């Protein structure tokens, strides 16, 4: 009888220990609001593409590209004319004189190609710097909106497979970006 009573006490004790262990496990799995992420989704690429500042930057670059293209075409036409004159002089000039003029012309063509490539680099660099400036401003705007919303995690729309529409802050970010950064002055560094 004493043994049965001890066995019963042991079983009750085991059950209590098991229940207490289970309660701790359940408690550990309960949500802790301090550790949950509050997520905000932003279509960063879409804003970079559609924002008024970036539209303005691309317009400035297109205008400069047209001016560069006209300058390149003018120089190219001059080189064509010079090439025609050189071809006409081939039979009139001594071989060594003609080779010298041909070498000078080839150097002009090489210089022209470097010039055209440099203009292309100026445009590429100007666009990259404008995008970088706007991206920095956009990140600050996103940060302030995330703070206002209490979001502690911001994802690009492309990173999220499925999300609640209330998480999407794209329109709010887009509107504020257009208000705070309506234009960007594009710098063309032609001397570099």
């Amino acid at each position: 009888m004493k043994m049965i009573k001890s066995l019963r006490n042991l079983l009750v004790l085991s059950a209590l220990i098991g229940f207490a262990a289970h309660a701790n496990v359940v408690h550990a799995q309960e949500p802790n609001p301090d550790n949950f992420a509050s997520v905000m989704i932003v279509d960063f690429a879409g804003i970079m593409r559609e924002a008024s500042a970036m539209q303005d930057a691309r317009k400035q670059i297109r205008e400069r590209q047209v001016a560069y293209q006209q300058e390149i075409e003018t120089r190219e036409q001059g080189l064509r004319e010079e090439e025609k004159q050189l071809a006409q002089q081939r039979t009139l000039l001594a071989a060594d004189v003609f080779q010298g003029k041909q070498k000078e012309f080839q150097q002009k063509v090489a210089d022209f190609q470097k010039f055209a490539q440099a203009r292309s680099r100026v445009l590429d660099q100007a666009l990259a710097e404008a995008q970088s400036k706007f991206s920095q401003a956009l990140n600050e705007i996103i940060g302030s909106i995330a703070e206002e919303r209490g979001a502690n995690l911001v994802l690009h729309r492309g990173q999220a497979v499925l999300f609640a529409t209330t998480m999407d802050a794209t329109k709010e970010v887009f509107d504020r970006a257009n208000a705070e950064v309506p234009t960007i002055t594009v710098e063309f560094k032609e001397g570099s």
Side-chain angles (χ1 to χ4, degrees), residues 161-173:
V161 176
L162 183 65
F163 56 90
T165 56
T166 56
M167 293 177 174
D168 191 355
T170 302
K171 180 162 178 19
E172 185 178 352
V173 172

Side-chain angles (χ1 to χ4, degrees), residues 18-89:
F19 179 75
H22 178 70
N24 283 339
V25 170
V26 169
H27 184 280
Q29 292 175 350
E30 286 179 9
N32 182 351
D34 296 336
N35 291 335
F36 268 110
S38 176
V39 180
M40 186 171 93
I41 306 293
V42 177
D43 184 2
F44 193 88
I47 294 171
M48 287 292 292
R49 187 176 50 253
E50 300 298 327
S52 63
M54 289 310 300
Q55 295 285 339
D56 181 55
R58 282 189 284 278
K59 180 182 173 216
Q60 291 175 56
I61 290 169
R62 273 192 305 275
E63 288 170 358
R64 185 62 62 103
Q65 183 180 22
V66 167
Y68 285 170
Q69 190 62 37
Q70 290 172 345
E71 185 179 7
I72 287 170
E73 287 173 4
T74 301
R75 287 187 178 199
E76 196 172 35
Q77 185 62 36
L79 286 172
R80 280 194 205 111
E81 291 297 322
E82 192 173 334
E83 184 179 32
K84 282 181 187 176
Q85 290 174 359
L86 189 60
Q88 290 171 351
Q89 294 174 356

Side-chain angles (χ1 to χ4, degrees), residues 48 54 57-58 61 120-136 184-189:
M48 287 292 292
M54 289 310 300
R58 282 189 284 278
I61 290 169
S120 179
R121 277 193 303 275
V122 166
L123 294 173
D124 291 343
Q125 183 180 7
L127 178 60
E129 288 179 8
Q131 287 173 331
S132 177
K133 278 186 211 175
F134 184 70
S135 177
Q136 288 174 342
I184 286 185
T185 302
V186 179
E187 295 178 31
F188 298 96
K189 297 178 182 173

Side-chain angles (χ1 to χ4, degrees), residues 8-29:
R8 192 177 332 138
N9 286 342
L10 184 62
L11 285 173
V12 169
L13 185 61
S14 295
L16 286 174
I17 290 173
F19 179 75
H22 178 70
N24 283 339
V25 170
V26 169
H27 184 280
Q29 292 175 350

